[in-house]
Amino acid sequence: FSADQLVFVDVLTTLNFGPNTKHHPAFHRLRSFQGHGPLVNSEFYPGWLDHWGEPHQCKTAELVTSEFSSMLSSEMGKIFVNFYMFFGGTNFGFYNGANMNNEPKYAPDPTSYDYDAPLTECGDTTEKYYAIRQLIKKLRPQLIDESIMVGIKNSTKKSYGKVKFSQMVRFTSLKNIATKKLSKTSLLTFEDLQQDYGYVLYEKIVDNSEPNALLDIQNPRDMAYVFADDIYVGKIYRAENEKLKGTYIQKNFHY
């Protein structure tokens, strides 16, 4: 899309960017097609989200406050800034989600959405929080109420120690507890099954005439654990786009 295609009459356009982006060229670009209205960074990123298999994302307090200070004292005039995220959080259950640019680059998120935010996932204040607060106190002192910080301290953390699991379900028992069973000639997707999230057990009896055949699941969504005769033989993962090969397939094939 070109810039003029993104302009709507009487609708304010805002920008989203983090401390690695300088606000001057960003807002000058905005002004080139929206000549009036307040300047708003609707998502200023003090951290970033995590992906499985990657290090925890971090942005230093110095980096964040440097660009934040630049926006609050900009010669371009008043700039409104909203932090995303200011308070880290948690995506419970299966609601963590994923990011994907181009296949096969699939990047699932963990359930933690700490985001390296000024206030952590568990609500603790951080060096970054106090640095941001001190900057606001310096440049916008009327916004700071010192009384609300009296008695504020981070919560005490404790270890659970060793946790002993007393219950389990074996793979061979899954068919007995399945909530719904179907027999079809073609492979049904989660959408076909009206299954929003969770797990589906697929089973097929295969011909063992080609013991070295490749098991290729086209576009798996998102990970398949493969069992042959109730023995785990491997996985097929969307991000890796690999196939399984071997002589393990006998009669019953599950994934």
Side-chain angles (χ1 to χ4, degrees), residues 44-244:
F44 181 58
Y45 309 121
W48 198 243
L49 52 89
D50 290 331
H51 294 128
W52 280 107
E54 298 178 3
H56 178 50
Q57 297 291 324
C58 295
K59 293 186 185 298
T60 66
E62 292 76 17
L63 176 65
V64 173
T65 54
S66 175
E67 185 55 31
F68 184 41
S69 174
S70 181
M71 286 190 285
L72 292 185
S73 56
S74 176
E75 66 275 11
M76 296 185 70
K78 184 177 291 186
I79 295 176
F80 297 87
V81 182
N82 176 69
F83 280 82
Y84 179 94
M85 303 283 292
F86 195 82
F87 195 145
T90 306
N91 298 310
F92 292 98
F94 289 91
Y95 291 97
N96 51 308
N99 296 93
M100 189 177 73
N101 295 321
N102 296 304
E103 290 280 14
K105 181 56 177 176
Y106 169 73
D109 304 314
T111 52
S112 172
Y113 206 74
D114 178 78
Y115 211 82
D116 194 35
L119 293 177
T120 69
E121 183 175 9
C122 60
D124 286 346
T125 57
T126 63
E127 174 191 354
K128 189 182 300 183
Y129 168 83
Y130 286 107
I132 292 170
R133 196 172 191 279
Q134 284 301 114
L135 179 60
I136 296 174
K137 183 178 180 180
K138 175 183 177 182
L139 299 178
R140 302 287 192 276
Q142 71 278 12
L143 299 178
I144 296 297
D145 181 0
E146 294 290 356
S147 65
I148 65 174
M149 294 300 291
V150 175
I152 296 296
K153 61 180 181 179
N154 290 341
S155 60
T156 301
K157 308 301 185 296
K158 295 182 179 180
S159 172
Y160 282 109
K162 292 183 178 181
V163 178
K164 183 179 180 179
F165 289 91
S166 60
Q167 294 179 324
M168 62 177 291
V169 176
R170 296 186 181 277
F171 172 78
T172 52
S173 302
L174 292 179
K175 286 189 291 183
N176 299 325
I177 62 173
T179 57
K180 186 177 182 179
K181 298 180 181 180
L182 294 173
S183 179
K184 298 290 183 180
T185 57
S186 60
L187 190 65
L188 300 180
T189 65
F190 273 47
E191 288 76 12
D192 294 330
L193 296 169
Q194 297 183 342
Q195 178 86 3
D196 294 332
Y197 53 81
Y199 304 97
V200 172
L201 173 63
Y202 298 93
E203 182 179 34
K204 181 178 178 61
I205 298 176
V206 298
D207 185 353
N208 196 31
S209 60
E210 297 182 19
N212 292 313
L214 287 174
L215 173 59
D216 183 10
I217 300 176
Q218 296 292 327
N219 302 317
R221 297 293 187 267
D222 298 299
M223 183 181 292
Y225 292 93
V226 182
F227 293 76
D229 291 338
D230 296 333
I231 299 174
Y232 175 70
V233 294
K235 64 181 175 65
I236 296 179
Y237 181 35
R238 179 177 181 175
E240 298 168 352
N241 200 28
E242 295 180 346
K243 304 174 179 63
L244 284 178

Side-chain angles (χ1 to χ4, degrees), residues 8-59:
F8 298 92
V9 177
D10 298 326
V11 176
L12 176 67
T13 300
T14 65
L15 301 182
N16 301 334
F17 57 84
N20 297 98
T21 299
K22 300 302 181 183
H23 76 274
H24 293 94
F27 282 116
H28 278 303
R29 173 62 173 151
L30 175 65
R31 278 289 182 250
S32 71
F33 61 87
Q34 182 175 269
H36 66 282
L39 300 176
V40 181
N41 184 342
S42 48
E43 290 189 5
F44 181 58
Y45 309 121
W48 198 243
L49 52 89
D50 290 331
H51 294 128
W52 280 107
E54 298 178 3
H56 178 50
Q57 297 291 324
C58 295
K59 293 186 185 298

